[in-house]
Amino acid sequence: MLVPKFNGQQPAKSELYWRGPVLWHSDGTTWTELKNKKSSAVPNIVTLGPTYNYTAMLEAHNAHWLFALDFPNALPAGIKTHFTQDGQLLSDDPLRQRQQYQLSAQTQYRFNEDNDGYLVDALQLPKNQHPRTHKLAQQWLQQTQQPLELVQLALTHFNQQDFYYTLSPPQLAGDTIDNFLFESRRGFCEHYAASFTILMRATGVPTRIVTGYQGGEINPVDNFLVIRQRDAHAWTEVWIKGQGWIRVDPTAAVAKQRINQGINTIMPLNMRSPLLLSNSRPLAELWQTLRNNWDALDNSWNQWILAYGPELQKEFLSKLGMPNPDWQQMVIWLSVSISIVLLLISVLIFYQRKRLVPIVYLYQKFCNKVAINREASEGPIDFANRVKQRYPNNTAEIDRINQLYINLHYGNKSVSMSDLKQAIKAFKPPRI
């Protein structure tokens, strides 16, 4: 987990790209970092625009990466670090314990705009693989050979063809790039970044994959930005003569809300909260509130251990009602707090289950009518979109049933159970 806090203004969520490992080489399935790194190579990066200062705390991960907002304008003080030739911020030593570091960054920059010593690596393609992808790239080359126009052709292809963003894509076999682009067309950031990179390289545009995190959620308890594993992301960079490496995020062409609003806006409840709570928005919100408080407490403890002396530690605990704390008092306080919360959750689970059973039963009748299996992680909106593809002449009815279900499921009292029952009863999809 990465926990940054900005000192002053903060970038827009769409600019929160936290750079980590950069991938160059593909064997057709797996991507890896540069094999022949030059230790003396230093990137030529000019940062531009507003400056954002922040302090970050990163959990130990036994590697050298220090995830940083793209792009730092200086190395962090007090820790031995360096930049690699592809823009990674690395610690000289592996992170074997939690690390705090301060950085200043600017989200506009020029990166090796005149030349780059690894452009050959950015054009590497696995031999005798992805034939359908190569064929599509050749079709685009017949339309234009301008790099930025080729980039736009690829983004338009993702945006206007039947591609979907999902966290539960079908498993790909054989040639995974070709099968994704021409068969399943369902995937998450890694699928889009990898296929875009192969397409661009096949047209002669140097491209690489950058991994890390995108976005994050502000914890309202302490105003720290919390970046979890679910915020993990992959995007790409293309090299254009005179402009250098330019970020291109193919995921944004398919699911713009993932970038502008964050992963939580498209992640189903059962992926954001325990399974028993995921059928109820009030319970899920209670869980999130509990988690926010726990994260704030955990973060305060970490800040305290890393940066504060005994006096500030005592002051923090006194605010929690423990002016002269010992370990026995802290264990009792924590146990009582957790017991109260668990009791509240148990009561709400019982109440919500009782209320939701008939709603879920009715919606299942609708699912049975359309004869389409709903995936366990699929939200009602995504499911409705699939149903509408199969029954395009029944779009209005499907939207009405879906909206009624959402309103009832999440406690909107403006509709009744009978409205949903009648809508489902009246819905008569054609036989296919």
Side-chain angles (χ1 to χ4, degrees), residues 316-334:
F316 169 73
L317 289 174
S318 68
K319 292 179 180 178
L320 299 178
M322 293 178 283
N324 296 297
D326 55 32
W327 285 108
Q328 186 176 9
Q329 281 183 303
M330 293 178 68
V331 169
I332 293 172
W333 178 84
L334 189 58

Side-chain angles (χ1 to χ4, degrees), residues 87-104:
Q88 298 179 61
L89 175 62
L90 299 183
S91 169
D92 289 2
D93 301 309
L95 264 67
R96 304 194 189 281
Q97 60 184 8
R98 190 178 291 110
Q99 180 66 55
Q100 187 180 69
Y101 49 98
Q102 295 182 341
L103 280 170
S104 178

Side-chain angles (χ1 to χ4, degrees), residues 300-301 303-320 322-323 325:
S300 296
W301 175 270
Q303 299 280 346
W304 176 41
I305 292 296
L306 287 176
Y308 297 163
E311 289 303 316
L312 286 177
Q313 295 173 12
K314 186 175 180 180
E315 179 184 343
F316 169 73
L317 289 174
S318 68
K319 292 179 180 178
L320 299 178
M322 293 178 283

Side-chain angles (χ1 to χ4, degrees), residues 150-168:
L150 290 165
V151 168
Q152 192 55 51
L153 281 174
L155 296 179
T156 301
H157 182 74
F158 284 135
N159 181 260
Q160 295 185 1
Q161 298 297 316
D162 293 328
F163 286 91
Y164 297 92
Y165 182 91
T166 175
L167 297 173
S168 302

